[in-house]
Amino acid sequence: MIHQSALVERGAQLGCNVSVGAYSIIGEDVEIGDNTVIGPHVVISGRTRIGRDNRIFQFNSLGEVPQDKKYDGEPTRLEIGDRNTIREFCTFNLGTAQDVGITRVGNDNWIMAYVHIAHDCQVGNHTVFANNAQLAGHVHIDDWAILGGYTGVHQFCRVGAHTMTAVGTVVLQDIPPFVMAAGNTASPFGINAEGLKRRGFSPEALLALKRAYRTLYKSGLMLDEARAKLNEEVLVHPEIQPLLDFLAASKRGIIR
């Protein structure tokens, strides 16, 4: 159902059973998948593709030009997957030519009010963004990460899978997978054990991850020394391989 006061520009592609609320504006280069619900007073612009079964609440701005002075009208994109919930007053921007040119949000994400996802961010699946979580440009958020309210993530940082940040966390370096972080600036506070239990990690896997955390953060070893020890541990405990892969790929260094 398209409300009579909504404006759907010629060229926009809407799937089956898409609902568009009062006074919403859908731009000419927008694609929206089946069964997605767009609330009132939503503006979806730019080259934006949204998947199916999403719920987008009122007063969102999706696909607007990036807040980057280098942007010069290049044909960049915003891509949003399936089954996401996007609450009120969120802003997701297009990508830039200085990166991959696409801002991506995956599937099954729960995004609360006033969240900002800046240009060229790459957000995985099953994440939770509490109110006012803010991503600067070029940030990567891996699957199952949870950002507490008012978490701010500096540009080019990566937040690993199954992590959790506390309210008001300021992230200036990468957060390795499985780790809880808090503070300004963010510091590590153990493994996200409760979250991992809920996702079916075995007691043996949790024990291996706790040992790996102690090696990385509590042993007194330098990072290269800790990685060398973890390379030995992974032969017996393959559950820690994602941690090693993350450390190898980190460009900003990890929180300490």
Side-chain angles (χ1 to χ4, degrees):
M1 170 181 152
I2 311 298
H3 193 276
Q4 62 182 3
S5 65
L7 174 60
V8 179
E9 296 184 11
R10 184 176 298 176
Q13 300 179 42
L14 275 59
C16 297
N17 200 33
V18 170
S19 175
V20 181
Y23 302 105
S24 287
I25 301 173
I26 311 298
E28 61 180 350
D29 294 318
V30 173
E31 304 173 36
I32 301 176
D34 298 348
N35 304 314
T36 288
V37 177
I38 311 295
H41 298 279
V42 173
V43 178
I44 305 178
S45 54
R47 293 170 174 82
T48 297
R49 184 174 68 193
I50 299 173
R52 60 180 299 139
D53 299 305
N54 294 283
R55 182 75 189 275
I56 300 171
F57 285 73
Q58 56 267 29
F59 302 111
N60 281 288
S61 174
L62 307 177
E64 194 49 84
V65 299
Q67 299 175 88
D68 187 320
K69 291 183 177 180
K70 297 184 295 298
Y71 182 74
D72 194 30
E74 296 89 351
T76 55
R77 299 184 59 85
L78 168 66
E79 295 185 356
I80 299 172
D82 304 330
R83 300 176 303 278
N84 297 288
T85 296
I86 303 172
R87 295 302 305 248
E88 300 83 356
F89 297 100
C90 293
T91 52
F92 299 1
N93 292 162
L94 301 173
T96 65
Q98 286 71 41
D99 202 323
V100 295
I102 303 173
T103 304
R104 291 189 177 94
V105 176
N107 304 321
D108 301 294
N109 297 291
W110 182 261
I111 299 173
M112 300 186 199
Y114 295 96
V115 166
H116 177 62
I117 298 179
H119 58 86
D120 304 294
C121 288
Q122 310 294 312
V123 177
N125 306 312
H126 301 285
T127 67
V128 175
F129 286 53
N131 298 315
N132 283 284
Q134 308 282 301
L135 304 186
H138 315 280
V139 166
H140 287 230
I141 307 292
D142 292 345
D143 296 349
W144 297 103
I146 298 175
L147 300 186
Y150 294 91
T151 291
V153 186
H154 192 276
Q155 63 182 350
F156 296 103
C157 284
R158 181 180 175 190
V159 177
H162 301 284
T163 54
M164 176 181 284
T165 67
V167 63
T169 301
V170 177
V171 181
L172 301 183
Q173 291 182 291
D174 297 344
I175 303 178
F178 314 114
V179 170
M180 295 190 298
N184 181 5
T185 58
S187 298
F189 284 87
I191 291 295
N192 182 19
E194 190 59 37
L196 296 174
K197 288 178 187 176
R198 294 176 182 177
R199 288 167 211 140
F201 281 67
S202 69
E204 295 76 18
L206 287 173
L207 182 59
L209 291 170
K210 289 177 180 178
R211 288 172 175 164
Y213 177 88
R214 287 196 294 269
T215 297
L216 185 60
Y217 283 115
K218 300 296 185 181
S219 64
L221 297 174
M222 300 294 288
L223 180 57
D224 287 344
E225 296 171 329
R227 287 176 59 187
K229 187 172 181 181
L230 291 172
N231 276 317
E232 297 174 1
E233 294 179 13
V234 76
L235 299 175
V236 181
H237 302 291
E239 299 88 352
I240 69 174
Q241 186 63 56
L243 178 58
L244 277 167
D245 294 341
F246 186 97
L247 295 174
S250 177
K251 296 179 179 179
R252 287 190 61 86
I254 62 171
I255 62 170
R256 304 297 294 182

